Amino acid sequence: MTVQSSDFSVRTPQREALVDITHEVAAIVTAAHVVNGTCVVYCPHTTAAIAVNENADPDVKRDLLYCLARLVPQLREFQHSEGNSDAHVKSSLVGPSLTFIVRNGRLLLGTWQGILFAEFDGPRTRTVQVLLQGE
Ligand code: ZN
């Protein structure tokens, strides 16, 4: 059983964005030589998250961000002094981490799936933490 932990940075381009990080995570899996196991992808930020969804048509990412903005508007009633409460709520709705299956040395993703770093209060340089367990 192998356990390996690593980080990488993501530069997000604007206040809200879904940034494809599939290749960065896949490269860590390949370098780790884990054949079968699990891969945890974790976001250590309170106004960002990790998602998996369609990565082929960019309109899907736009629609996801549009719906999250409709679900969580910036309300005057928010009390948090930073003025980014909508980003904190979206971060909690989407969630900080996902676990993926590694089989035969590769991330097991659906044909259209990509791993997305969800930025809700950018642009910023963010950190993604990856934990691989397997053999
Ligand atoms: Zn805040």
Side-chain angles (χ1 to χ4, degrees):
M1 168 92 155
T2 306
V3 179
Q4 289 185 47
S5 185
S6 54
D7 298 350
F8 64 90
S9 294
V10 180
R11 181 71 199 157
T12 61
Q14 62 226 19
R15 183 164 196 268
E16 298 195 338
L18 296 172
V19 179
D20 178 15
I21 57 169
T22 311
H23 294 295
E24 287 85 344
V25 178
I28 289 171
V29 171
T30 302
H33 301 293
V34 168
V35 179
N36 292 301
T38 54
C39 175
V40 178
V41 180
Y42 185 80
C43 166
H45 304 286
T46 60
T47 55
I50 302 293
V52 61
N53 214 299
E54 173 161 338
N55 203 26
D57 178 0
D59 283 343
V60 173
K61 288 188 244 181
R62 276 192 282 270
D63 291 348
L64 282 166
L65 289 174
Y66 174 76
C67 281
L68 284 167
R70 290 285 299 267
L71 279 170
V72 189
Q74 296 195 40
L75 300 173
R76 267 181 306 162
E77 290 81 1
F78 285 147
Q79 298 192 13
H80 175 47
S81 63
E82 282 187 312
N84 61 353
S85 285
D86 64 312
H88 288 291
V89 174
K90 289 169 194 162
S91 167
S92 281
L93 284 175
V94 176
S97 78
L98 289 171
T99 302
F100 298 93
I101 297 168
V102 177
R103 186 184 294 168
N104 298 322
R106 298 185 56 212
L107 275 177
L108 210 59
L109 289 170
T111 304
W112 306 110
Q113 283 183 324
I115 306 171
L116 306 173
F117 184 89
E119 174 65 82
F120 299 117
D121 196 23
R124 300 191 201 204
T125 299
R126 301 289 207 170
T127 299
V128 176
Q129 296 168 339
V130 178
L131 179 73
L132 271 165
Q133 298 179 84
E135 48 197 6

